[in-house]
Amino acid sequence: MSISLRAASAEDSPQVAEVLLSSRKAFLPYAPLAHSEAEVHQWVREVLLPAGGVAVACENRAVVGIVAVERTAEAVWLNQLYLLPSHVGRGIGAQLLARALRQVSLPVRLYTFHANTRARSFYERHGFKAIAFTDGAANEEQCPDVLYELN
């Protein structure tokens, strides 16, 4: 099947939330959700999508991946990059990352959990460098994380 990328719309909210939830459950079992599934759906609908900077990867009409960026004074933050577990390893994450990077200026920063070796390897392959390691005290999941930057 062919994958298309586009800006997310409000109508994508339920599918975006399901991508986030299913990916977190499959790949981050050590980092329990800090919010209920209903709260995640509400956050996607009322905060994430209205803020803009969200793109989706679609197979036919189904959302199979998302990327979200946020611009701040010091950097652009890659806040979300998730795929349905069934779509990992097909190059979709790289397509979403490339789309996001084409639309922003450097530096780009992101956090990922220290234990998320698959994501860490992905970001390092795409030129991100680890610039700080934390004990996780500042994140909701209380899991050690890594701050990455692309210059």
Side-chain angles (χ1 to χ4, degrees):
M1 289 284 165
S2 177
I3 299 296
S4 62
L5 305 181
R6 62 172 173 77
S9 68
E11 292 77 30
D12 296 319
S13 177
Q15 291 186 76
V16 167
E18 286 305 316
V19 169
L20 293 172
L21 290 166
S22 65
S23 185
R24 292 282 310 246
K25 287 176 190 172
F27 299 118
L28 307 175
Y30 52 82
L33 285 172
H35 303 279
S36 70
E37 289 189 13
E39 290 170 327
V40 171
H41 277 270
Q42 180 180 7
W43 174 78
V44 168
R45 184 177 59 253
E46 296 177 6
V47 178
L48 181 66
L49 293 181
V54 181
V56 292
C58 298
E59 187 173 63
N60 296 323
R61 293 179 172 268
V63 173
V64 299
I66 69 140
V67 64
V69 296
E70 175 187 12
R71 292 167 178 83
T72 65
E74 73 273 358
V76 173
W77 288 89
L78 183 68
N79 290 334
Q80 312 291 327
L81 178 54
Y82 288 99
L83 300 174
L84 287 177
S86 60
H87 286 71
V88 170
R90 295 175 42 188
I92 300 167
Q95 290 177 47
L96 284 167
L97 179 60
R99 177 189 167 102
L101 293 177
R102 280 193 305 270
Q103 298 176 345
V104 299
S105 59
L106 300 178
V108 176
R109 295 184 183 145
L110 64 92
Y111 279 99
T112 192
F113 295 119
H114 187 273
N116 194 349
T117 55
R118 190 173 194 156
R120 291 180 63 195
S121 176
F122 171 83
Y123 291 122
E124 290 168 8
R125 280 194 317 273
H126 288 91
F128 285 82
K129 304 290 184 213
I131 60 171
F133 294 81
T134 78
D135 63 3
N139 66 54
E140 292 180 321
E141 297 86 354
Q142 301 294 294
C143 292
D145 56 17
V146 184
L147 173 60
Y148 278 93
E149 184 173 78
L150 178 67
N151 284 314

